[in-house]
């Protein structure tokens, strides 16, 4: 069940997003529809870059958060590189103008074809997630007569119980990700003995949606200590970068926060500054600093517009049925995430609003966006906020539903939009299957 976190404090509703009238987007593009404020994403990337204060770095945007061309191109224009986890994401990144030299490729089960493509393109590094993978990549590089640049993703063994949702914690002992610290010396020996591998990076990624710097810093310190130790023993001669991963959290409770409420969570720049201090303390600042943020660059700058289909008021609950479902935005069903939902357009102040249980049309009880304070006379359109990350990329066609269009905003206008997938095509495909 979604969490019972309290109501958004957006008094009077939300009329515009990225300077564009939301009701007119809904009537032109239909609902559900994703809207993205590209200028907001650009601003956030710029702020993050400023935190490096001139230090050589790569902001390797985690394409899995939002792979739409408009988004990736906007971030590429800001100088971002990419963190990809499939050949398809790799091709989106290069297709949107990101230089291979700024791309890292993570993932625990890369296929041979994916490795071959990464080697052929000459990306910054293929991230090794196991000792076994080193042998596989070396064989592919030898077969291609090339030298593959690799980095090691170190599992920092950080206990994340209670820190973030178990499904998005990756840097703990029981996770499938990364090379264990005790296996590092063997892994380094293996890579450094090969004529076909060049060990250029050391990386970690602790998990996602951290709202405090501490767990991120814990992972970064394990990485820094490991690198310092290996260097002190004379290893890692070709090391060029340190990659401290993504995971900077966004404030999904932002809309529920009263102005007088406690401190907002740390900004992406705060995470970077904290890690830079640790790198300096261990004399590792000759290395390029790579980070892999996804969510923090795009989530707050996206919303999912939905139409209210009908209310259903019973003695048990006040349901508000909307036309967006868990197939469009999986986060509430998958992680019990609570995204603020606000009425679109002008409405009476929230003092007169009442709690509604907002649910979608999918035939699953988990198709539930949680309880939200909304006008007692329901608005025609609502906006589900902070949906710019892990929204469309995780959307699916369960129940024969169509994938929503994506609408791209910049300079106060719609600059591009995609089409909703066609229902007829799905019907044809399914009827023809088998
Ligand atoms: N680098 C690696 C190796 C990752 O596995 C991830 C996310 C990132 C970077 C980007 O993390 P971010 O900065 O976005 O937190 N679908 C989930 C999130 C899954 C994250 C998976 N890995 C959600 O909607 O919360």
């Amino acid at each position: 069940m979604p969490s019972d976190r309290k109501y958004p404090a957006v008094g009077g509703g939300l009329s515009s997003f990225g300077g564009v009238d939301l009701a007119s987007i809904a009537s032109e593009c239909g609902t559900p529809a994703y809207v993205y404020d590209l200028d907001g994403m650009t601003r956030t990337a710029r702020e993050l870059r400023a935190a490096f204060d001139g230090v050589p770095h790569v902001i390797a945007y985690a394409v899995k958060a939002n792979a739409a061309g408009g988004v990736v191109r906007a971030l590429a224009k800001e100088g971002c590189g990419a963190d990809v986890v499939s050949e398809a994401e790799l091709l989106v990144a290069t297709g949107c103008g990101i230089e291979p030299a700024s791309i890292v490729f993570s993932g625990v089960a890369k296929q041979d074809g994916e490795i071959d493509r990464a080697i052929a393109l000459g990306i910054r590094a293929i991230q090794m997630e196991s000792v076994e993978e080193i042998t596989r990549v070396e064989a592919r590089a030898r077969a291609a007569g090339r030298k593959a640049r690799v980095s090691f993703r170190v599992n920092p063994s950080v206990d994340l119980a209670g820190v973030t949702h178990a499904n998005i914690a990756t840097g703990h002992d029981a996770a499938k990700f990364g090379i264990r610290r005790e296996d590092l010396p063997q892994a380094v020996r293996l890579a450094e003995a090969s004529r076909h591998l060049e060990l250029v990076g050391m990386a970690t990624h602790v998990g996602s949606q951290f709202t405090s710097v501490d767990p991120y810093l814990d992972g970064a310190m394990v990485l820094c200590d490991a690198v310092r130790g290996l260097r002190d023993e004379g290893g890692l001669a070709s090391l060029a970068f340190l990659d401290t991963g993504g995971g900077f959290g966004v404030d999904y409770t932002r809309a529920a926060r009263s102005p007088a409420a406690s401190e907002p969570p740390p900004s992406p720049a705060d995470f970077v500054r904290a890690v830079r201090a640790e790198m300096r303390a261990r004399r590792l600042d000759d290395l390029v600093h790579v980070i892999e943020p996804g969510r923090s660059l795009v989530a707050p700058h996206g919303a999912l517009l939905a139409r209210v289909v009908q209310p259903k008021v019973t003695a048990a609950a006040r349901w508000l049925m909307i036309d967006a479902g868990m197939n469009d935005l999986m986060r509430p069903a998958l992680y019990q995430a609570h995204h603020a939902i606000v009425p679109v357009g002008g409405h009476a102040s929230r003092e007169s609003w009442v709690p509604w249980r907002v649910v979608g049309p999918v035939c699953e009880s988990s198709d539930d966006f949680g309880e939200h304070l909304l006008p007692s006379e329901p608005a025609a359109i609502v906006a589900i906020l902070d949906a710019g990350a892990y929204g469309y990329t995780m959307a699916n066609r369960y129940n024969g539903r169509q994938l929503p269009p994506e609408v791209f905003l910049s300079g106060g206008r719609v600059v591009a939009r995609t089409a909703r997938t066609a229902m007829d095509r799905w019907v044809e495909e399914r009827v023809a299957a088998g």
Side-chain angles (χ1 to χ4, degrees):
M1 287 304 240
S3 76
D4 59 358
R5 204 174 270 147
K6 282 304 163 201
Y7 316 116
V10 176
L14 189 67
S15 293
S16 73
F17 193 78
V20 184
D21 182 61
L22 283 175
S24 58
I25 295 179
S27 68
E28 273 162 41
C29 305
T31 54
Y34 275 101
V35 290
Y36 305 130
D37 171 10
L38 300 180
D39 298 343
M41 295 177 185
T42 299
R43 250 188 341 266
T44 302
R46 218 168 268 172
E47 280 161 22
L48 185 52
R49 200 169 42 166
F52 284 97
D53 214 8
V55 166
H57 67 276
V58 178
I59 299 175
Y61 166 59
V63 173
K64 64 170 82 68
N66 189 326
V71 168
V72 181
R73 271 187 293 274
L75 294 174
K77 267 195 211 122
E78 278 310 303
C80 289
D83 165 52
V84 301
V85 292
S86 67
E87 186 178 5
E89 284 188 358
L90 174 56
L91 296 178
V92 166
T94 55
C96 290
I98 296 180
E99 291 295 324
S102 301
I103 299 177
V104 292
F105 191 155
S106 316
V108 296
K110 300 176 201 78
Q111 310 212 13
D112 286 352
E114 297 185 306
I115 294 168
D116 293 348
R117 176 81 76 161
I119 293 173
L121 283 172
I123 66 170
R124 172 172 282 263
I126 309 175
Q127 308 247 48
M128 303 294 93
E129 301 242 14
S130 59
V131 175
E132 291 83 345
E133 190 181 11
I134 301 169
T135 315
R136 282 186 61 220
V137 172
E138 119 98 16
R140 303 309 303 175
R142 189 176 333 113
R146 300 276 298 257
K147 195 162 189 167
R149 280 193 289 274
V150 297
S151 54
F152 291 172
R153 174 171 173 183
V154 180
N155 183 323
S157 181
V158 175
D159 181 8
L160 294 163
V163 174
T164 191
H165 194 281
N167 293 6
I168 54 176
T170 51
H172 57 89
D173 283 340
K176 66 180 175 180
F177 301 98
I179 299 175
R180 295 171 70 90
R181 267 180 301 176
E182 51 271 39
D183 296 334
L184 276 181
Q186 180 204 355
V188 170
R189 271 196 305 278
L190 204 58
E192 293 190 337
S194 168
R195 283 190 299 117
H196 293 285
L197 299 177
E198 188 180 11
L199 178 54
V200 291
M202 293 286 278
T204 196
H205 174 75
V206 186
S208 199
Q209 184 50 17
F210 294 134
T211 49
S212 103
V213 168
D214 295 349
Y216 189 79
L217 206 51
D218 287 348
M221 286 195 293
V222 169
L223 180 69
C224 288
D225 286 341
V227 171
R228 184 69 267 158
L230 289 163
R231 275 183 146 185
D232 288 346
E233 287 159 21
L236 304 180
S238 50
L239 197 70
F241 72 86
L242 205 71
D243 176 348
T244 52
F248 317 143
V250 308
D251 186 4
Y252 288 106
T253 68
R254 180 167 56 102
R257 198 180 280 283
S258 79
S262 54
E263 287 277 288
S267 71
D270 293 329
F271 285 87
V272 166
R273 286 193 204 98
V275 170
R276 300 272 347 136
E278 298 299 334
M279 284 175 70
R280 268 196 307 275
R282 289 165 185 78
R283 304 182 321 282
L284 295 173
D285 31 11
D286 59 309
L287 300 170
V288 172
H289 188 181
V290 178
I291 55 170
E292 303 172 358
R295 183 192 320 266
S296 53
L297 292 177
V298 294
H301 308 298
L304 176 59
L305 290 181
R307 186 169 296 274
V308 172
V309 176
Q310 64 162 82
K312 172 179 175 178
V313 179
T314 69
R318 300 171 59 82
W319 308 96
L320 198 62
M321 280 46 178
I322 62 172
D323 66 358
M326 62 186 278
N327 71 295
D328 301 300
L329 179 64
M330 286 184 77
R331 303 196 67 260
L334 209 49
Y335 317 114
Q336 293 72 50
H338 190 90
H339 286 251
I341 299 183
V342 297
V344 166
H347 293 271
S349 82
R350 69 192 280 280
E351 272 74 69
S352 61
W353 294 3
V354 296
W356 287 96
R357 190 81 189 222
V358 181
V359 296
V362 174
C363 288
E364 297 260 353
S365 294
S366 53
D367 186 21
D368 185 338
F369 294 101
E371 196 170 69
H372 299 265
L373 201 60
L374 290 163
S376 55
E377 189 55 44
I381 309 285
V382 295
I384 305 177
L385 302 184
D386 300 315
Y390 306 110
Y392 190 90
T393 49
M394 296 175 76
N396 61 74
R397 304 208 55 179
Y398 186 41
N399 280 194
R401 288 175 50 77
Q402 302 163 63
L403 293 177
E406 296 178 289
V407 184
F408 302 83
L409 316 175
S410 179
R413 62 188 186 89
V414 174
V415 290
R417 60 194 245 200
T418 60
R420 189 179 309 283
T421 57
M423 182 183 75
D424 295 352
R425 281 262 293 284
W426 188 84
V427 174
E428 273 165 35
E429 273 166 30
R430 291 295 82 202
V431 170

